[in-house]
Amino acid sequence: PNSTFLIYKVCNSGGSCSSSDIISAIENATLKGADIISISIGGDGYSDDVYTSVIDSSMNNGTLVVIAAGNGYVKFAIDVPGATLSALTVGAYCMPSQTASGNEQYCDSTTEPRIATFSSKGFALWSNGSISGIKPDVLAPGVRINSTDIDSVTDYQTKSGTSMATPHVSGMAALIKQSHNDYDAFQLKSSIVNYANPLGYEYRLQGSGLINAIKSYNTSLTIYDSYKTSMIYFGDNFNSSIKLKNFTKIINITNKWDSTINISLIANNGSGFNFSYNLQNEYVLTINDSILIEINISLNNNILSTDMNNETFLISTNISQNITIPYAFYTINNSDDCPKINIPINITANLTLSK
């Protein structure tokens, strides 16, 4: 797109970056009307860190903030400011050729070969140690990327990191914004997160999956919850003395298509948990119309299964497009590394063409 760049220097020559300088740059870029802020910086912290309010403010004022997840290798290692729930947080993806070669050091994982081994994994955490939400949001190519480098003789160098993955998403967001100038920051985020290609891994590892520019460009519905996140974390169920527990989330669905969309929801209940929702059998969304849907999950610890990784919640519409909304909650399982188990709930549109 015909973009204008605002460049902010927030780090010194030794690579140290002060939080006050980063915050000032975010505030100034937002004040100047930036549509997208791309941040390839990170450090240890939490979802309620010093960056939260300024990033939330930028997003609420229409500026999408895209941030690297970090290179912390392990789970629960999402960097700040990327741990901020409203931000679009990016992990690093291994290209198929890199995985197939067998000699790429960052793509040799036996469990998640499509995710770069250095890419920080989720979930994100609050400062009290509890889980705040699903991060990263998406994955983008981040291994052996040819990029500019001030210290290189040729001004270019091959580098790897989530810092390399993040600009892919920022540039993609700019292309979408050019075509959909009416999108606010959360709708722009949803158009990227909810139309990514799932890779079959846990959400805390892959987010919603690998970015898909074509699907995102042709967004029909945008979805987010009260935290303005496009991946919904219901909560945890760590107290084994509570045999029955209910979780509630309210999600906003907006029609960004160029015609009316009919939507209906189909719940697929599993062993030990049940869905319910407050939507009539079918709802008609006119152009730019929105609906708030309250979704409830009821857990029964007495019979809750620990292998429900393929349960689905369907949004059925009358247009030809796939939509994925990752859902997750945590429950008790002493054999897990946390010691808990993540039970991801996929939401996938079941669609037929009638436009």
Side-chain angles (χ1 to χ4, degrees), residues 223 225 232 234 246-253 265 267 274-279 292-298 313-315 325 327 345 347:
I223 302 103
D225 69 359
I232 316 302
F234 276 101
N246 298 314
F247 301 92
T248 299
K249 281 287 185 177
I250 297 177
I251 61 172
N252 176 299
I253 300 180
L265 277 67
N274 292 285
F275 284 104
S276 63
Y277 47 88
N278 68 335
L279 185 67
L292 295 178
I293 302 175
E294 181 180 288
I295 300 178
N296 300 289
I297 292 182
S298 177
F313 192 93
L314 302 180
I315 294 181
I325 311 169
Y327 273 60
I345 310 298
I347 296 184

Side-chain angles (χ1 to χ4, degrees), residues 312-329:
T312 57
F313 192 93
L314 302 180
I315 294 181
S316 179
T317 81
N318 64 324
I319 62 171
S320 181
Q321 192 174 66
N322 290 323
I323 306 165
T324 300
I325 311 169
Y327 273 60
F329 57 84

Side-chain angles (χ1 to χ4, degrees), residues 8-22 40-43 51:
Y8 294 86
K9 185 179 186 297
V10 297
C11 302
N12 61 27
S13 58
S16 177
C17 321
S18 75
S19 58
S20 60
D21 288 340
I22 296 170
S40 289
I41 294 172
Y51 301 100

